[in-house]
Amino acid sequence: MVAPKVISRKATTSKDLEKEYKWGFVTPIEPDLAPKGLNEDIVRLISRKKNEPEWLLEWRLKAYRYWTSLKYGEPRWAKVSFPPIDYQDIYYYSSPFKEKRPESLDEVDPELVEAFRKLGIPLEEQKKLTGVAVDAVFDSVSVATTLQKTLEEHGIIFCSVSEAVEKCPELVRKYLGSVVPYTDNFFASLNSAVFSDGTFAYVPPGVRCPVELMTYFRINTEGSGQFERTLIIADKGSYVSYLEGCTAPMRKTHQLHAAVVELIALDDAEIKYSTLQNWYPGDKEGRGGVYNFVTKRGKAAGRNSKVSWTQVETGSAITWKYPSVILQGDNSVGEFYSVALVNNHQQADTGTKMIHLGKNTRSTIIAKGISAGQGSNTYRGLVKIMPSAANARNFTRCDSLLIGDKCAAHTVPYIEVRNPTARMEHEATTSKVSDDQLFYLRQRGITEEQAQYMIINGFCRGVFQELPFEFAMEASQLLKVSLEGAVG
Amino acid sequence: MTSRGANHNRPLLEVRDLHVSVGSVEILKGLNLTVNLGEVHAVMGPNGSGKSTLTNALAGKPEYAVTEGKVLYRGKNLLEMLPEERAREGLFLAFQYPVELPGIRVREFLRTALDALREHRGLDKGSLREFNKLLQEKAKELGLDEELVKRSVNEGFSGGEKKRHEILQMAVLDPELALLDETDSGLDIDALKVVADAVNKFRKPDKAILLVTHYQRILNYVTPDFVHVLIDGRIVRSGGRDLALELEAKGYEWIRDAVESGREISV
């Protein structure tokens, strides 16, 4: 397969920004905004803006009513703290398009194309990234999806969810909410009511998707929330590798990002899902930054199916996410590879859930947490072996690396075994970058700063090697930028 | 005393009245030593005499505090330089206890180090192909498995592999002054010969070696120009190859007694 070219992040010209968060620019676009606040009318308005069928509006309204019935608000069991969120002070719909969605890129505001170019995502067909089809989502709306022709030749559907509702309503209706129901949790309910856009992908039986599919998410408008919804279906015997990247401008106020991702792998199908999460983390004092409250879950529904999550989480003020796998089909496989980094005042509570239902199901969890500055990093993971899951196996490894003496790392594994044939392994370590390691590298002529990065990169190797090659290079760059000021 | 290829006009390393403490304990108590280009010096001494303190202090390990004295490297003040600057100036330490670096592969590690050194020397980065060839060649000479360069540095290496890997680094990075800190300990006789061969190959008129050891065994294969006996933080006697043999025959107590009773000390 062609090595995909991914986001080059030499984006802005401002020297100041390069020292901190390089993707913090604001695009001067007058958005089509729905009024602030949330009520049934807003839900109806979003649905109308998108020309949705009646069943989808009904589903949204059910979700909204369920959400308003929840008495306790956000889940508070995670090891993160934040002041109460005023859900009436958020824009739930912000579109860069005044009128209807543009038919071709020529109709797209050049400012918008420029915004993505700055992020290293050219949308023009002639400049498109080789080997990657990109869906660019700006605030609430998908701007453009590249490489359509190549994908169509293989019968692959890759478009925004809004388009999918028009193109293949039966697929959307069948699978939307099938892995993450609107009753799942507070943020999933909210997302189900107001989700704006997101990515849809369907790979037909026996097709190995020839390119990487990628979505680039960008929050622009101040005070707007981003509630995208991603739905990926790999039909029997198919394979797809999907990447997502995300950035936001620097803002003094917090922005809410509450996405839902659902993956479905049928018999013998495989979905590989990679994330580079680089939302604005807030400044050094902890002002501003994105609240990243995300529900991601895959269902390895078919026999011999496989769902694999790889995430590199460096951004956001707070990260609350647990990409999980329901191992339903016999012999199905679930994987979770994660690097989560916190610096300054960032907080992360992230991990996974592996729910074993089928026979001979196997799951692997490799979680690497890096804590620097005054960051707080928690791995929280559940491995559940149900009575039906004979001969299930799980291997879990959680490593924490501490940089400095004001940060924190926590590991909270939950293991529930209800079948005696299960085999479980759990390993956990906590370490610091040792003086002896630094001296060894420096004695060979390597500067202290570079030595630190080499050690940190080495720590992440097991996860980075799961990423597509150029994404891995990108990830290690991202780590370096995110740690600026913490090492050296 | 003769020394092969010695160039007495060009002292590479001059150590004058060196005092080094670790924590509140003074370990080196006024050490003097001059190493010229082309020379091989062996520093021998019993456990706790300060051998490793000498090599670590010269390499600039942070917890080794120099409290008095001076060290010149090619006439420049070595003690002012950061560890990485010393390395770039050509000083190499083969560690007694090499540390593990999880996830950092030998090949990338050495390539990064070599690039840093070459940049300092004003050379271009060599091609990856040449580097791989060099690495493979040197690893083979040291009898190291070719898969070793793909493994994480020192992780899961046997004791012998760790020591040979240190010498592999010396051969690839091609320093000017090699400090070998008990590189011979823990090697069986075959491995010792292989390591000695590599050290002899490194030995040239424009290089120098300071070999720190507890046993004279390696000196059967690497013939030193000078042998120094280090006891209680000072060099108490210096001589040629014969001193090492005498030491082996009579033990360190013999020297200690000789020093304490105030008999002749040749420096």
Side-chain angles (χ1 to χ4, degrees), chain A residues 291-455:
Chain A
Y291 290 162
N292 190 35
F293 300 150
V294 169
T295 307
K296 290 183 167 179
R297 196 173 302 152
K299 193 193 267 184
R303 287 177 62 85
N304 312 319
S305 59
K306 179 173 172 181
V307 171
S308 179
W309 299 100
T310 305
Q311 62 170 15
V312 176
E313 302 281 317
T314 60
S316 298
I318 302 177
T319 296
W320 177 95
K321 85 179 241 208
Y322 312 89
S324 305
V325 184
I326 299 168
L327 295 101
Q328 187 181 50
D330 289 348
N331 315 324
S332 61
V333 174
E335 293 174 340
F336 175 73
Y337 301 98
S338 169
V339 167
L341 176 148
V342 292
N343 192 7
N344 299 321
H345 291 267
Q346 282 176 278
Q347 308 171 60
D349 192 302
T350 183
T352 184
K353 289 188 274 186
M354 293 289 172
I355 315 290
H356 291 250
L357 296 167
K359 295 186 187 71
N360 311 315
T361 45
R362 283 174 292 143
S363 62
T364 303
I365 299 171
I366 308 284
K368 307 274 182 179
I370 301 167
S371 311
Q374 298 171 60
S376 164
N377 207 335
T378 302
Y379 166 81
R380 188 183 304 275
L382 168 68
V383 180
K384 194 169 185 173
I385 312 291
M386 299 301 279
S388 56
N391 302 315
R393 272 158 55 189
N394 166 263
F395 173 80
T396 299
R397 183 177 174 104
C398 303
D399 296 323
S400 303
L401 185 71
L402 302 171
I403 299 167
D405 54 8
K406 293 193 175 63
C407 57
H410 313 273
T411 302
V412 192
Y414 303 79
I415 299 172
E416 255 185 80
V417 178
R418 300 203 205 156
N419 185 310
T421 60
R423 265 169 52 199
M424 319 286 290
E425 286 177 74
H426 183 95
E427 295 175 8
T429 65
T430 303
S431 56
K432 294 193 82 163
V433 175
S434 84
D435 292 342
D436 283 350
Q437 289 174 326
L438 285 176
F439 181 62
Y440 192 88
L441 289 161
R442 295 176 74 189
Q443 210 306 299
R444 300 303 184 241
I446 296 163
T447 62
E448 185 172 8
E449 198 184 359
Q450 199 182 356
Q452 295 251 22
Y453 290 127
M454 285 178 79
I455 292 166

Side-chain angles (χ1 to χ4, degrees), chain A residues 74 76 82-88 90 92 187 256 291 293:
Chain A
E74 307 94 354
R76 290 284 172 174
F82 53 93
I85 297 171
D86 182 354
Y87 291 92
Q88 298 305 331
I90 294 173
Y92 288 87
F187 295 113
L256 178 62
Y291 290 162
F293 300 150

Side-chain angles (χ1 to χ4, degrees), chain A residues 436 440 442-445 461, chain B residues 84 88 93 103 166 169:
Chain A
D436 283 350
Y440 192 88
R442 295 176 74 189
Q443 210 306 299
R444 300 303 184 241
R461 172 181 290 282
Chain B
E84 54 268 39
R88 290 170 188 199
L93 170 60
E166 291 298 296
Q169 295 173 55

Side-chain angles (χ1 to χ4, degrees), chain B residues 86 103 253:
Chain B
R86 300 179 196 202
E253 284 308 309

Side-chain angles (χ1 to χ4, degrees), chain A residues 117-173:
Chain A
R117 193 196 58 75
K118 275 194 194 171
L119 297 166
I121 309 288
L123 299 178
E124 299 94 330
E125 199 62 18
Q126 69 273 22
K127 291 182 191 157
K128 66 183 186 279
L129 304 171
T130 46
V132 189
V134 182
D135 184 25
V137 176
F138 194 86
D139 284 349
S140 309
V141 172
S142 170
V143 173
T145 311
T146 65
L147 273 190
Q148 280 303 327
K149 227 176 138 187
T150 315
L151 296 172
E152 275 166 24
E153 281 164 16
H154 290 85
I156 297 163
I157 305 171
F158 180 52
C159 60
S160 69
V161 169
S162 309
E163 280 177 81
V165 172
E166 290 169 30
K167 271 192 200 167
C168 44
E170 64 297 334
L171 278 174
V172 179
R173 193 168 186 175

Side-chain angles (χ1 to χ4, degrees), chain A residues 62-89:
Chain A
K62 272 195 275 182
Y64 173 72
R65 286 167 198 147
Y66 180 81
W67 182 75
T68 53
S69 77
L70 291 169
K71 290 192 178 69
Y72 299 105
E74 307 94 354
R76 290 284 172 174
W77 42 259
K79 195 166 175 53
V80 297
S81 64
F82 53 93
I85 297 171
D86 182 354
Y87 291 92
Q88 298 305 331
D89 193 35

